Amino acid sequence: MCDTCGCSGDGGAVLRKPGESDYHVHVNPGAEKHLHPHADGEHRDHDHFPEEHHDCDYMHDHDGGHHYHEGGSRKIVLEQDVLQQNNLLAERNRGYFEARNIFALNFLSSPGSGKTSLLEKIIPLLQQRIPVAVIEGDQQTTNDADRIHALGVPVIQINTGSGCHLDALMVNRAVKELDIRDNSLLCIENVGNLVCPALFDLGEALKVVIISVTEGDDKPLKYPTMFHEADLCILNKIDLLPYVEFDVAKCRENAMRVNHHLEWFEVSATTGEGLAQWQQWLEKRLLHH
Amino acid sequence: MHEMSIAMSIVDAVVANAEKEGGVRISGVELLVGKLAGIEAESLKFCFSAATKGTLAEGAALVIEEPEGIGECGECGMRFPVTFYYAECPKCRSLRITIVSGEEFKIQSITIEEEGE
């Protein structure tokens, strides 16, 4: 049972807003469960291989056993994408963003590589010209959303509870609760995790993977799925390069081996170094996405 | 542990399909999980049995087919088996490799049991 509202919504993700301690919304997967593939009007044909309908020898071997399958067993070919439910909802999010000219970025990294710090630095540079909104994903707390809230931009926190990634349903709900203006930039900060979030499309325009120089320069090789899925990679904390053993060229080469389409930026959220180049790139993409 | 949430979405999908087809029980589920799909088949099997508890799919036999990864070289067009994303073309040594197979992640089929009489 939920401690805050006493409802039975247990275990699922919860939306929270900074400064509004009473506000919380449960993301209940049950509500979207009946979003069938047929909802988009497409009729999925099932191939009923008639020759396989009663191809069930073992059913005759039971004497006095459970004859629950007396009617026979039947194989149904589905060829359905496992992530179909998520992908359909992600496409709905994408359509909503496109219609309102919202440029959505999905920020992915290990915990502690500086996603929130980077947003804290880049948002003030951008928001004079472009409205910005933020969705924060963490297992618990509104700490990150509080930091973004201090910048004066609309923000909502998704607490995934035991969940290791954001999914399209959580973003769908969060967007409904968030006041996003047309023609804006939406930053979605995923749960800090270099593995699971790579699989879940949220409806974003681009995936941004962040690594920092305090991690290993072989990270792209150790977590290739994430780097393969990403559109741009930002190397953060370059102000610490004199103090750590981190080969920037090597790291970049490793990242490019996994994904030769990857855009590459080197920044320091602390000193602001390199942020101008990234800002320039973002502003260009905001005009022509 | 995204395998658990994935196992649960598989169970939702197969149960929905079985109910629509009039099945009273699901006795088998066949999945196609490419070796580059980012899914651990063993972990998925474990989660699947947990996720099916109390559903039509409880006790269903899970069969996972794991197609090998195939890369295609962007320079010379050669196709060759790859085990990871950072492959090198064995012919021309190019790193511009596109994965053409091995990322599949599908529910191939289900086997349902129908009511007698």
Side-chain angles (χ1 to χ4, degrees):
Chain A
M1 193 170 81
C2 169
D3 292 337
T4 315
C5 68
C7 76
S8 60
D10 199 15
V14 177
L15 307 181
R16 297 183 199 277
K17 283 183 181 173
E20 297 179 37
S21 54
D22 289 343
Y23 172 93
H24 83 290
V25 172
H26 291 274
V27 180
N28 176 14
E32 287 291 336
K33 232 173 213 168
H34 299 289
L35 172 78
H36 278 262
H38 311 273
D40 57 5
E42 170 207 356
H43 181 75
R44 178 169 288 272
D45 279 316
H46 301 267
D47 299 322
H48 303 263
F49 293 126
E51 68 276 14
E52 290 184 29
H53 278 195
H54 299 284
D55 184 21
C56 179
D57 296 341
Y58 64 85
M59 64 180 277
H60 306 293
D61 296 336
H62 295 256
D63 282 325
H66 297 288
H67 283 262
Y68 50 78
H69 50 258
E70 259 182 9
S73 71
R74 185 154 65 92
K75 187 170 175 176
I76 301 161
V77 175
L78 298 179
E79 294 191 346
Q80 175 180 322
D81 197 316
V82 171
L83 297 172
Q84 177 173 269
Q85 205 83 345
N86 184 75
N87 294 345
L88 282 172
L89 206 47
E91 283 306 328
R92 268 171 62 182
N93 293 348
R94 190 166 280 120
Y96 175 80
F97 297 148
E98 277 176 16
R100 298 192 52 202
N101 197 30
I102 294 165
F103 187 50
L105 297 178
N106 183 1
F107 289 84
L108 307 139
S109 81
S110 333
S113 61
K115 292 186 293 299
T116 314
S117 302
L118 210 52
L119 291 180
E120 280 180 308
K121 279 294 162 76
I122 199 76
I123 288 171
L125 300 175
L126 294 169
Q127 76 184 129
Q128 299 141 14
R129 267 168 286 180
I130 309 142
V132 183
V134 178
I135 296 173
E136 282 288 343
D138 280 299
Q139 285 199 317
Q140 298 294 345
T141 82
T142 58
N143 293 358
D144 285 359
D146 294 342
R147 287 167 63 184
I148 300 297
H149 181 61
L151 305 173
V153 297
V155 58
I156 194 159
Q157 178 82 48
I158 302 174
N159 283 145
T160 57
S162 59
C164 53
H165 58 268
L166 295 182
D167 63 33
L169 174 63
M170 295 177 199
V171 170
N172 185 276
R173 285 298 148 79
V175 162
K176 285 177 188 160
E177 299 290 327
L178 191 61
D179 182 24
I180 310 178
R181 287 166 57 191
D182 288 353
N183 312 310
S184 65
L185 170 69
L186 173 64
C187 300
I188 305 168
E189 186 184 324
N190 219 308
V191 178
N193 177 344
L194 267 184
V195 184
C196 316
L199 285 180
F200 294 84
D201 184 8
L202 307 178
E204 72 277 341
L206 299 172
K207 284 189 171 79
V208 183
V209 64
I210 297 162
I211 37 171
S212 59
V213 305
T214 52
E215 303 166 47
D217 48 31
D218 57 350
K219 210 143 212 187
L221 301 182
K222 286 157 105 179
Y223 298 92
T225 309
M226 184 62 83
F227 288 85
H228 186 256
E229 292 299 315
D231 299 284
L232 67 155
C233 179
I234 297 177
L235 178 66
N236 191 24
K237 308 188 190 178
I238 55 168
D239 55 304
L240 298 179
L241 277 172
Y243 314 105
V244 292
E245 274 188 40
F246 186 94
D247 187 335
V248 174
K250 184 102 197 168
C251 183
R252 182 179 179 159
E253 188 193 310
N254 287 337
M256 295 300 162
R257 292 185 79 167
V258 176
N259 177 358
H260 53 267
H261 300 293
L262 202 62
E263 302 257 6
W264 179 268
F265 293 91
E266 295 166 20
V267 308
S268 163
T270 305
T271 65
E273 193 183 345
L275 282 180
Q277 285 94 317
W278 186 41
Q279 181 190 352
Q280 225 172 23
W281 184 89
L282 268 176
E283 287 177 346
K284 214 166 110 189
R285 290 302 296 250
L286 277 157
L287 284 175
H288 308 288
H289 65 87
Chain B
M1 265 299 273
H2 56 281
E3 276 82 1
M4 191 63 209
S5 58
I6 281 167
M8 285 161 76
S9 64
I10 292 171
V11 172
D12 284 348
V14 297
V15 167
N17 276 294
E19 281 174 347
K20 204 167 59 204
E21 296 286 339
V24 292
R25 201 175 74 89
I26 300 168
S27 56
V29 174
E30 282 180 346
L31 300 181
L32 195 63
V33 182
K35 292 216 167 139
L36 300 175
I39 299 291
E40 208 46 63
E42 278 313 308
S43 169
L44 185 59
K45 275 181 195 164
F46 176 78
C47 293
F48 180 80
S49 65
T52 53
K53 289 261 150 45
T55 73
L56 293 189
E58 186 165 349
L62 182 66
V63 177
I64 301 182
E65 191 194 331
E66 297 177 79
E68 299 289 336
I70 306 281
E72 188 180 87
C73 176
E75 304 287 346
C76 72
M78 181 170 178
R79 285 189 172 206
F80 55 96
V82 293
T83 51
F84 251 112
Y85 287 119
Y86 46 99
E88 188 179 275
C89 176
K91 202 164 127 196
C92 72
R93 301 283 152 212
S94 168
L95 295 171
R96 288 212 306 122
I97 307 303
T98 304
I99 305 299
V100 292
S101 168
E103 295 183 299
E104 302 84 351
F105 191 25
K106 279 183 178 173
I107 306 170
Q108 282 292 77
S109 73
I110 57 174
T111 304
I112 58 168
E113 307 294 321
E114 292 168 314
E115 198 67 76
E117 306 313 314

